[in-house]
Amino acid sequence: MKRHILTNDRDAACDTLTVVVAAHDEAHALPLVHPRIRAALDAVPGLDGRVLYVDDGSHDGTWEVMQQLAGEDPRVALLRLSRNFGKEAALTAGLDFVEEGAALILDADGQDPPELIPRFVELWRQGHDDVYGTRLARDGESWLKRVTASLFYRVIGRLSKTPIPADTGDFRLLSPRALAALRQLRERHRFMKGLFGWVGFRRVALPYHRGPRVAGASKFGLWRLWNFALEGITSFSSAPLRVATYLGLLTAGLSFGFALWVVGKAALYGDRVAGWPTMMTVILFLGGVQLIALGLIGEYLGRLYEEAKQRPLYLVDTWRAPAVADSAGPTGTGGDRHHADRSGFVAGQGP
Ligand code: UDP
Ligand code: MG
């Protein structure tokens, strides 16, 4: 049996960190955010700070901007996916390509302040594996988004056995062993908040103020957020299926009572043909309940279907390693193992 024991790296030097940034159409935001990331990394003593930008199928010149940043800064690595795979897949790709050390996930739009990086590293160096940013304020977000978000966290907190802290996004630092653990989860429907929670280890929250975007517009409208919520609930809980069972039991019980009443009435008073409205009501009601249950089963079946296809999570168009790491070469067996993990995901290497 394969045992998954990941050793604590607390005694390790904690000296290498890669900031992973997934970007989709962020050509205007990246030049504003990159200097802030650089400055924050430079502010941490004894840290080999690197940045990995993932271009998630952008159409607005984001890739050109990234190439320029990498040209000016040898610590920048670039990954370009073959098309837009969505933020979760882009992040997965980025985390797969982190060569060594810890990883820190950051949004490209400046909503997660890079200035907090030293605080994250400090908590990591104190022995935490998963340092996650928790939002204190949601400036620049609508009333509706705030209410639905809080409702979502309450529902999923009830339904899921995996701890998913409220108001926590993807802004977090993962220690090497937490990163290695996350890399083992290759499910297609990737609800990252849940996956991070599933990994466990020593976790600590870092409260922060989430500001508005520095440029561009959000890619997550209400419809996309709704689907995201469904994704989270169905990925981390099968409670809705159980609800269908109870709903079925309840209607079956009510129907039985109703049947007794109908039969008893017919026996006592004879059966005059009447009751068309009741019959219609019952038929429509049962039809509705059955459709709801079928829809619920369908949700899970669809996910099973996606998993069964075993497609790669993303395809890579171009990988450009950081110039600094290039000269050093792959890092022993650890590096080789990560390459092995990624095999099959790299469709073609660019220049
Ligand atoms: N993003 C991505 N792929 C997508 C959509 C978004 O990589 O298909 C990135 C985006 O560039 C940004 C981050 O995910 O860095 C968060 O996106 P956004 O700011 O639109 O979301 P919000 O902050 O409004 O939740
Ligand atoms: Mg944003």
Side-chain angles (χ1 to χ4, degrees):
M1 196 187 96
K2 191 178 176 198
R3 294 187 185 179
H4 297 283
I5 300 173
L6 297 165
T7 49
N8 195 349
D9 43 67
R10 255 215 286 183
D11 299 331
C14 292
D15 58 358
T16 310
L17 175 74
T18 306
V19 177
V20 177
V21 184
H24 174 65
D25 289 349
E26 303 282 8
H28 298 292
L30 280 181
L32 300 174
V33 174
H34 182 71
R36 290 169 59 189
I37 299 177
R38 268 270 51 98
L41 287 174
D42 288 341
V44 187
L47 186 77
D48 175 7
R50 303 171 187 176
V51 189
L52 166 54
Y53 288 114
V54 184
D55 177 13
D56 185 18
S58 303
H59 295 293
D60 71 340
T62 297
W63 179 243
E64 286 68 31
V65 171
M66 285 181 179
Q67 281 181 309
Q68 195 182 343
L69 293 176
E72 292 163 359
D73 190 338
R75 286 166 292 188
V76 172
L78 302 182
L79 188 64
R80 187 185 206 187
L81 303 186
S82 63
R83 64 171 171 85
N84 179 247
F85 281 90
K87 185 185 178 186
E88 320 272 319
L91 281 181
T92 306
L95 294 176
D96 284 347
F97 275 77
V98 171
E99 298 275 273
E100 57 180 312
L104 187 140
I105 302 168
L106 191 95
D107 276 3
D109 58 5
Q111 283 197 285
D112 305 328
E115 290 71 25
L116 280 177
I117 292 174
R119 286 283 300 133
F120 276 92
V121 176
E122 202 181 310
L123 288 167
W124 170 39
R125 285 179 170 168
Q126 284 171 14
H128 297 101
D129 294 286
D130 178 5
V131 188
Y132 56 93
T134 307
R135 296 164 202 170
L136 281 172
R138 285 169 165 256
D139 298 340
E141 284 183 358
S142 70
W143 168 87
L144 192 62
K145 194 163 173 178
R146 277 181 229 195
V147 171
T148 46
S150 99
L151 199 68
F152 167 71
Y153 284 114
R154 210 169 304 161
V155 170
I156 196 145
R158 278 282 178 85
L159 292 184
S160 159
K161 290 192 197 89
T162 308
I164 297 172
D167 283 325
T168 302
D170 296 323
F171 188 25
R172 66 177 72 215
L173 182 147
L174 296 172
S175 75
R177 70 168 175 169
L179 185 60
L182 192 75
R183 278 190 179 131
Q184 292 178 25
L185 310 183
R186 306 308 299 182
E187 57 204 79
R188 266 75 205 157
H189 285 268
R190 303 188 74 74
F191 181 64
M192 296 295 266
K193 293 173 207 275
L195 297 182
F196 295 131
W198 189 90
V199 164
F201 292 127
R202 296 192 185 88
R203 319 183 67 198
V204 64
L206 177 61
Y208 75 105
H209 283 276
R210 190 169 163 85
R213 284 182 147 263
V214 292
S218 170
K219 279 109 209 153
F220 290 85
L222 268 185
W223 178 244
R224 203 162 163 181
L225 282 175
W226 164 250
N227 283 311
F228 182 66
L230 281 187
E231 188 78 53
I233 290 167
T234 47
S235 294
F236 274 85
S237 163
S238 53
L241 285 175
R242 208 162 307 141
V243 170
T245 312
Y246 287 123
L247 207 62
L249 280 176
L250 184 75
T251 39
L254 288 177
S255 313
F256 186 69
F258 184 65
L260 282 183
W261 183 72
V262 170
V263 171
K265 209 176 99 176
L268 288 177
Y269 306 109
D271 182 20
R272 280 162 289 138
V273 179
W276 188 80
T278 2
M279 204 152 82
M280 278 315 281
T281 316
V282 170
I283 289 174
L284 290 178
F285 178 67
L286 285 182
V289 169
Q290 282 169 0
L291 282 182
I292 291 172
L294 270 181
L296 278 174
I297 298 169
E299 279 290 325
Y300 287 90
L301 188 67
R303 275 159 176 77
L304 209 59
Y305 174 58
E306 293 283 331
E307 293 295 333
K309 282 192 281 196
Q310 291 285 314
R311 286 186 186 153
L313 301 178
Y314 55 83
L315 289 178
V316 173
D317 176 303
T318 308
W319 160 242
R320 174 175 169 163
V324 280
D326 247 2
S327 51
T331 52
T333 50
D336 291 344
R337 196 190 69 238
H338 296 326
H339 283 292
D341 282 351
R342 300 186 311 231
S343 61
F345 297 111
V346 184
Q349 297 281 358

